[in-house]
Structure formats: structure tokens, C-alpha cells
Amino acid sequence: METTAPFYEGPRWGTWKPMSNELLLLRRGDAESAQRIFDAFAERTGLAAQPVTGGVSYVLEGLDHRIKIVEILTDIDATWPRHVALGQPYGDDR
């Protein structure tokens, strides 16, 4: 009778991929509302918005990773998901 768990070849507990250094916000719905949210987010966080197809990108460095993105977007406009979507950074296959 076997008493040990079978060997599992997969990700190990406690190992994570590095955090992305890019935040991608995409327009959804009303372009004017999305732009207002992009501008307010940049102003509140101090991050510089870089235009990309369909939205904006913000570079995250060091302590920028502690920014509470969803909380700030909600403070700016509680209906932000109608106007803005969180995108997956380019080249990030997670």
C-alpha cells in the first residue's frame, strides 16, 4: 500500500512570476468618459500615460506597484468599468 502522495510536476507552491511593469487601461464605451478617467488616474497617481492602440499604458516602477489601481479608479468614477477595461500588457502571457 502506497502511503505518500503521487509526484506532481507543476508549479511549485511559493513560486510566482514577476509582477508586470505595465498597467494597460483600454477604452470601453464612451471615449470622452474613458479619457476623463485616464487623465484623472494619471493626475492622482503621478504616472505618465503613454497612448497605445485602444487606450493608455502606464509604466510601473518600484513603489508604483503598491498603487491601489481599482480603488483609485472607483474613487474617480464608480462606473469606471463601463468606460475603461484593465488590459493585459503586451508580451505578458500570464
Side-chain angles (χ1 to χ4, degrees):
M1 180 168 148
E2 189 173 316
T3 60
T4 60
F7 181 73
Y8 172 67
E9 289 187 30
R12 296 181 183 190
W13 292 103
T15 59
W16 303 341
K17 289 186 178 183
M19 188 178 291
S20 178
N21 290 325
E22 179 184 19
L23 168 63
L24 186 60
L25 298 179
L26 303 173
R27 286 181 196 87
R28 174 187 282 178
D30 179 31
E32 288 181 24
S33 295
Q35 189 61 51
R36 177 183 52 78
I37 293 169
F38 297 159
D39 293 343
F41 184 83
E43 183 178 327
R44 288 194 188 190
T45 62
L47 298 174
Q50 299 297 319
V52 296
T53 303
V56 293
S57 172
Y58 303 90
V59 174
L60 302 174
E61 298 177 330
L63 295 178
D64 295 341
H65 290 283
R66 293 185 177 197
I67 294 171
K68 298 192 181 290
I69 295 164
V70 173
E71 288 180 20
I72 293 172
L73 290 171
T74 302
D75 287 345
I76 292 168
D77 185 336
T79 65
W80 71 267
R82 294 182 189 164
H83 312 293
V84 174
L86 295 173
Q88 182 171 343
Y90 300 109
D92 190 347
D93 61 358
R94 285 180 269 201

